Amino acid sequence: MPWVNQDLCVGCGVCVDECPVEAITQDQDSKAIIDDDKCIRCGKCHDVCPQDAVRHDSERIPQEVEANITKTKELLTHFDSPQQQREFYERMIRYFNKEKKVADLTIAKITDMKNAISKEK
Ligand code: SF4
Ligand code: SF4
């Protein structure tokens, strides 16, 4: 999922014109904003941006990890005893292991779908 680094965006609007599904709008400062729900992941905005302001999702991994840790710390405040806290951590670990499994299985299925196309050619 592409995203716009607001510090790099100069508001030229090139990506807005290029997007085939009108998923990009501009805020009051003309900075581009991508609507994740509308975006079809075509990558055109990334290719046309003259400022390299449209960035890849992988760059946000550290922030997303930090957000997960912040959320975990917030939720931890609901549990007082060390026993409760240990059990809570176990639940969080199970939750993220499930997310990892979902991602792994999804990747495997999409890879199969991609490979099926290659064989057809
Ligand atoms: S093309 Fe790049 S610099 Fe121009 S509005 Fe889009 S993100 Fe911003
Ligand atoms: S990836 Fe494609 S669909 Fe998504 S915002 Fe960029 S140009 Fe639009």
Side-chain angles (χ1 to χ4, degrees):
M1 174 62 66
W3 58 284
V4 177
N5 182 324
Q6 301 290 305
D7 294 333
L8 297 177
C9 176
V10 295
C12 65
V14 169
C15 60
V16 177
D17 295 338
E18 202 65 32
C19 180
V21 292
E22 298 180 355
I24 309 175
T25 52
Q26 288 174 276
D27 66 12
Q28 65 273 22
D29 298 320
S30 298
K31 305 274 186 180
I33 301 166
I34 296 174
D35 183 335
D36 287 356
D37 291 332
K38 286 186 182 171
C39 173
I40 60 168
R41 283 75 162 163
C42 70
K44 284 185 181 171
C45 52
H46 180 266
D47 295 341
V48 298
C49 177
Q51 302 297 320
D52 218 12
V54 182
R55 312 299 306 178
H56 288 296
D57 218 11
S58 57
E59 291 181 37
R60 287 200 290 199
I61 290 174
Q63 289 93 322
E64 290 188 21
V65 170
E66 205 42 54
N68 286 337
I69 297 301
T70 300
K71 180 71 178 172
T72 299
K73 286 179 178 170
E74 276 171 23
L75 294 174
L76 182 70
T77 61
H78 295 282
F79 304 96
D80 296 326
S81 75
Q83 176 66 23
Q84 285 178 326
Q85 292 183 345
R86 271 194 296 274
E87 288 170 358
F88 163 72
Y89 279 133
E90 282 299 326
R91 284 192 292 276
M92 292 305 284
I93 290 167
R94 275 201 300 276
Y95 169 74
F96 283 110
N97 266 326
K98 185 271 290 178
E99 293 286 292
K100 191 163 72 173
K101 213 167 273 182
V102 168
D104 284 346
L105 289 171
T106 303
I107 290 166
K109 282 183 184 287
I110 292 173
T111 302
D112 286 347
M113 290 155 69
K114 187 190 87 177
N115 291 342
I117 291 175
S118 307
K119 282 173 198 155
E120 282 169 13
K121 282 183 179 171

